[in-house]
Amino acid sequence: MMSEAIFKAVQFAIVMSAMWSLNDAALNEEDNHIATACVGHCDVSYSMDCPRGKRVAPRDLTYHAKKTSTQCPTFKQNPDMMCQSSENCCGYNGGDCGQPFSYSKAFGVFNNCSGYQNCGWFRAESVDFGAHCSYRNYSNYISASFSCIREETFIDICSEASRQGKSVSLLYNGSVYRSAIGNPQVCHCVITTSDCDSPARLKFRVIDLRLHSYNDIASCEPQSLVMLQDTATSQSLRCQPNYFQKGFRDVFHSSSPYVRVSLYNQPGVFPTQVWLEVTATISTVDVIVTCGSSQPENVSLCGNDLPLYSQDYENKISTISSGNIFKPAANESKNPSYNGNKDEPTSGTSTTIIVMAVVLGIVSICLIGVLFYFKCYKNRRSTQSTYERSIPTSAVTEYEIPVSICKNTEEGYEELAVEFRVSAVYHTIPN
């Protein structure tokens, strides 16, 4: 009884969280959607799709169990063998039982969807609810709520750029920096309200905060963190193994109209992705975001310069322009299983360059090997002794040498006619 009450409390919290998120979305003019898919072999997959000029921001990923009915009976066999009616069994209803995806499961979905125009198709799986759900023991469908965020609201935390609006998304896309190497770096942005004299303050929400080593939820580096500082308070967001913050959750409310955001990163190693949304607490006030140098403050901004979290990380360089903020790494597709057309840039040029570099490297090694072989062969030949070497024909001169022959007789020696024998003189061959 107690476990069922706890389960219902968790379910209520999920519903209320979704309602609050949708309320914030309405204020920020976000385009919200819910995708569902049935367990079984009919209507079993789902996708998240945004129109051109907008990007997917996943919110909640949930397993659901709907109340049994004639149109939607209890599973009497393997759930994967069932064929459910998507209209009767797989439409989201606030009274359905729900259980969030595990963080490791959600991590994979965010890898394929967060910051992209579209993604899918993902197969609906069934999980055991046990006694927590009075409707049925196993989930029979899943839901994925997401928002579509306008591209013009984005700014790369590590770019030299600025952005102003009711809502601004600060993004670090780890796939863009996968090929980069180097020492730990820090990227800075300064955020202020458009009216420094108003009582408006700044509110930060986490859309996707995966500070882990690239695409590995179990791997965290101690240097990987995001620091939020205003003139009086600060908040550090650190990597935690097998856990990440997501889904438009509030993380920081400033006490002043000025906040400095610092991202400590090592390109190609961490983080996987950082996506923060910042708005003013008064809807009529804009926010101004300036990213770039290690000291981006200027006289038009509210507040004074703030010290860095750690001087050891100060090695800032401009890394990428805002136009390339969504570009994936070479040979990396946002979701290879997606069957639709995606409005995404490709990286074929980078792949060609890499292949050419590898081929040239192999050819160069082969040429060096050949030259080295002939050099060694020549040196070995030059060290041989003269008598070991074959003597060319031109080094031999033939001569006819007259030879006197004597015959022994009783009277003594009698000299016979002269004969000619061929002999040869061998010349010494200089080394």
Side-chain angles (χ1 to χ4, degrees), residues 174-182 214 267-269 328-330 332 350 354:
S175 65
V176 173
Y177 301 93
R178 283 192 68 185
S179 59
I181 57 175
Y214 194 75
V269 181
E332 182 177 356
S350 300
I354 293 173

Side-chain angles (χ1 to χ4, degrees), residues 46 143 147 160 207 215 236 248 250 341 355 375 377-378:
Y46 67 97
S143 71
S147 297
E160 301 282 344
I207 298 176
N215 282 355
S236 61
F248 292 82
D250 290 354
N341 294 325
V355 172
K375 178 67 175 176
Y377 179 80
K378 181 178 180 181

Side-chain angles (χ1 to χ4, degrees), residues 23 27 31 90 107 172 182 195 219 234 238 328 347 371 384:
N23 183 57
L27 292 176
D31 185 10
C90 307
F107 196 94
Y172 177 92
D195 183 358
S219 178
S234 65
R238 294 181 177 274
S347 303
L371 293 175
Q384 289 180 332

Side-chain angles (χ1 to χ4, degrees), residues 67-87:
K67 188 176 181 178
T68 58
S69 64
T70 305
Q71 296 82 12
C72 190
T74 304
F75 294 146
K76 294 183 179 180
Q77 54 181 320
N78 185 341
D80 291 336
M81 302 302 296
M82 295 292 293
C83 183
Q84 302 182 84
S85 166
S86 58
E87 181 179 355

Side-chain angles (χ1 to χ4, degrees), residues 25 64 84 90 105 108 120 129 147 165 180 184 199 204 240 244 254 260 266 303 330 340 352 357 365 387 400 405 411:
H64 289 288
Q84 302 182 84
C90 307
K105 183 72 174 179
F129 277 178
S147 297
F204 290 82
Q240 300 180 52
F244 70 102
S254 70
R260 181 189 183 101
Q266 184 171 334
T352 303
I365 292 173
Y387 64 83
E400 291 185 332
I405 301 176
E411 292 82 9

